[in-house]
């Protein structure tokens, strides 16, 4: 069956460190993968998109990698700040299915 | 910056009642979506809408659900006879055009069915 797994439900990290979140998938051939931020009681906010033929994408302190052999994406936040505390969702689009979300990882950045 | 808006922010209804959730997508966007998120669970796709018709729907989107774009700005989700298990956050989202894949989500409507 098809699965998207974000391995950690929750991740605590010290301010200033790099947070690394993982998204693994099985039985998908995604055309692209997206990362969203979701704050409590709010809608997801788009952060980054990476296509199947791209290895890495960056945006300010954010970096996403995509390894289609490992079926994995890593999402990094460098120099993390308490304001980065939120739930981060990965989502896949495979061309013949709607956007499918993982359950998310709740990141807490501790000052 | 343009944003997707949704009303109401919270709707409480009794089981068996009809509810209409409203969304105003970003004005130049062409593709529209409804998602739901049960508390503590994943964001789940319900339906997509393009060119005034449903382009795709999930198994969740059964005959109790319908969508409409009654005018040039609003996009509505109707649940005809609500069930307890319909309690969730409902998010509307839109995409500017084909080939652009980042979805812009609204703040959501919390639906509570009692």
């Amino acid at each position: 069956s098809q699965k998207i797994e974000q391995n950690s439900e929750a991740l605590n990290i010290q301010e200033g460190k790099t947070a690394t979140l993982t998204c693994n998938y099985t039985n998908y051939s995604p055309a692209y993968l997206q990362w969203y931020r979701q704050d409590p009681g709010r809608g997801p906010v788009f952060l980054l998109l990476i296509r199947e033929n791209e290895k890495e994408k960056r945006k300010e302190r954010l970096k996403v990698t995509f390894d289609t052999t490992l079926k994995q994406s890593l999402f990094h936040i460098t120099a993390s700040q308490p304001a980065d505390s939120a739930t981060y969702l990965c989502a896949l689009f495979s061309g013949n299915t709607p956007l499918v979300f993982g359950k998310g990882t709740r990141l807490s950045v501790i000052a | 910056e343009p944003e997707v808006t949704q009303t109401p922010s919270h709707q409480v209804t009794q089981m068996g009642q009809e509810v209409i959730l409203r969304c105003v997508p970003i004005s130049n966007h062409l593709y529209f979506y409804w998602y739901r998120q049960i508390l503590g669970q994943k964001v789940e796709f319900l339906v997509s809408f393009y060119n005034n018709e449903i382009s795709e729907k999930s198994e969740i989107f059964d005959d109790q659900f319908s969508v409409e774009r009654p005018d040039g700005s609003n996009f509505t989700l109707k649940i005809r006879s609500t069930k307890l298990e319909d309690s969730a956050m409902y998010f509307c989202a839109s995409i500017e055009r084909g080939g652009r894949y980042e979805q812009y989500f609204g703040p959501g409507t919390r639906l509570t069915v009692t």
Side-chain angles (χ1 to χ4, degrees), chain B:
Chain B
E1 187 175 323
E3 58 184 21
V4 176
T5 59
Q6 289 185 244
T7 54
S9 56
H10 191 190
Q11 173 92 46
V12 181
T13 190
Q14 288 195 322
M15 200 166 52
Q17 296 296 303
E18 175 184 285
V19 294
I20 297 176
L21 310 183
R22 291 184 166 78
C23 168
V24 179
I26 296 172
S27 62
N28 62 336
H29 284 199
L30 301 177
Y31 295 79
F32 313 113
Y33 304 83
W34 282 101
Y35 293 86
R36 80 169 185 192
Q37 187 175 31
I38 294 169
L39 188 63
Q41 302 298 314
K42 297 182 184 188
V43 175
E44 298 175 288
F45 169 78
L46 292 178
V47 66
S48 57
F49 194 85
Y50 170 69
N51 204 25
N52 284 320
E53 60 182 25
I54 290 174
S55 45
E56 198 155 8
K57 59 185 180 179
S58 72
E59 291 175 353
I60 302 167
F61 194 89
D62 61 22
D63 292 342
Q64 293 299 314
F65 291 87
S66 62
V67 288
E68 207 176 34
R69 189 155 161 81
D71 52 43
S73 57
N74 289 284
F75 179 49
T76 62
L77 175 70
K78 183 194 288 187
I79 309 174
R80 285 191 186 81
S81 178
T82 49
K83 304 189 276 281
L84 293 175
E85 54 264 37
D86 293 327
S87 295
M89 282 288 281
Y90 288 81
F91 295 109
C92 172
S94 65
I95 288 179
E96 184 180 353
R97 55 178 167 81
R100 297 293 300 263
Y101 300 111
E102 53 266 38
Q103 297 202 11
Y104 291 81
F105 282 78
T109 292
R110 179 174 299 284
L111 177 65
T112 302
V113 182
T114 61

